[in-house]
Amino acid sequence: MTTVAAPQVPARLGRFVLRMFRPQVYVTYGLLWVLALEGSAVAVTGTAWRPSGATWVRVVSVVLALLFLRMLDEQKDLAHDRVHHPDRPLVTGAITATELRGAMAVIAVVVTGLNAARSATDALLILAAFAYGLFLAALENLSPAVRDRQLLNLAVTYPVQLLLGGYVYGSLVAAGTVTANWRGAALLALCACVFLHFEFARKAAWEAPPGARLYSAGLGPRRAAAVTAGFAAGAVGCQVLLFAAQGSPLGLLPCLAAALPALATRRFLAAGRGPWPSVAATGFVVATYLALAVRAVLLP
């Protein structure tokens, strides 16, 4: 058992975060996701939207929740990583499970406090995401099928993302900023399609290296490509449903981001080898969420 002096822990955690929770990726994703979801939720009511102090509480809460879940993933994937990823921090001893659990406890307290200062509803909504993540860790430990079957695992793990989206939207409803209606469900479906497009894209390839957990291994590369492209199409469909009736054709400009998955699908199928073009998948997430946030500011 590794013993670490307390003064060393912050530096060790910092190195873990920089490697396994790259700020340029995860912080950017959390920021754009919250701004796009909150901005669109307000904009579809015809009201001008501007970020507020509450917006930044939601951004910080979602980013820290993603870090909490990443730390949890590192622990529940330890057995797999020992075989297939021996350089991971938890495997090498660069960080310990005790350090990660301590950091997770601090994150939970900080996020709960931030949200409880606004409302009990906000605190309960974000805690639901934490609780579901912990439930998943226990479930994967008990069920080899949930742990090892990729599509089943996705079916039971994705709701944690839905809970985080529900936290953002529910917080707006609790504050009286928006009224809960079908548009909220459509916005959450839009975010789900954007996330799932990226999720399938990053785990789609014509070849499956040893230890790789790919959706294409079970579905086949062509069917995986169809599902990946289908989620991008679903994101466009949700935007048309939400914004087409608002009168301005500029409101549908975020849909232009769909050119990226369209080109990536064509390239992937034509190549017949290699992984899905990762730049296109990342670009679709960034372009869609950034365009939605800008749209909410410019076209209330």
Side-chain angles (χ1 to χ4, degrees), residues 159-227:
V160 74
Q161 291 276 332
L162 192 61
L163 286 170
L164 288 175
Y167 153 73
V168 174
Y169 188 77
S171 177
L172 292 169
V173 173
T177 306
V178 301
T179 301
N181 55 33
W182 66 269
R183 291 184 178 87
L187 281 168
L188 293 177
L190 165 58
C191 293
C193 287
V194 171
F195 173 84
L196 290 171
H197 168 77
F198 176 78
E199 172 68 10
F200 269 81
R202 76 187 185 93
K203 295 183 179 179
W206 286 92
E207 306 87 13
R213 295 175 170 177
L214 302 179
Y215 299 119
S216 53
L219 292 172
R222 294 186 181 277
R223 280 192 290 178
V227 172

Side-chain angles (χ1 to χ4, degrees), residues 37-55 58 118 122 168-181:
L37 178 52
E38 179 180 319
S40 297
V42 174
V44 294
T45 69
T47 304
W49 173 75
R50 296 293 183 273
S52 64
T55 304
R58 295 177 190 117
R118 291 190 43 76
D122 287 16
V168 174
Y169 188 77
S171 177
L172 292 169
V173 173
T177 306
V178 301
T179 301
N181 55 33

Side-chain angles (χ1 to χ4, degrees), residues 90-116:
L90 194 55
V91 178
T92 63
I95 199 75
T96 66
T98 299
E99 290 170 284
L100 291 178
R101 289 168 189 163
M104 289 165 62
V106 171
I107 289 171
V109 169
V110 169
V111 171
T112 302
L114 281 173
N115 286 277

Side-chain angles (χ1 to χ4, degrees), residues 194-269:
V194 171
F195 173 84
L196 290 171
H197 168 77
F198 176 78
E199 172 68 10
F200 269 81
R202 76 187 185 93
K203 295 183 179 179
W206 286 92
E207 306 87 13
R213 295 175 170 177
L214 302 179
Y215 299 119
S216 53
L219 292 172
R222 294 186 181 277
R223 280 192 290 178
V227 172
T228 305
F231 281 121
V236 172
C238 289
Q239 291 181 66
V240 172
L241 176 65
L242 286 162
F243 304 124
Q246 290 194 300
S248 172
L250 294 177
L252 294 176
L253 281 178
C255 294
L256 295 178
L260 291 170
L263 292 172
T265 303
R266 179 179 178 183
R267 179 179 172 183
F268 179 79
L269 292 175

Side-chain angles (χ1 to χ4, degrees), residues 130-154:
F130 288 146
Y132 192 78
L134 294 171
F135 163 74
L136 286 176
L139 180 62
E140 289 190 30
N141 186 53
L142 294 171
S143 173
V146 170
R147 183 175 60 247
D148 300 329
R149 292 171 56 185
Q150 280 297 97
L151 292 175
L152 177 60
N153 183 266
L154 178 63

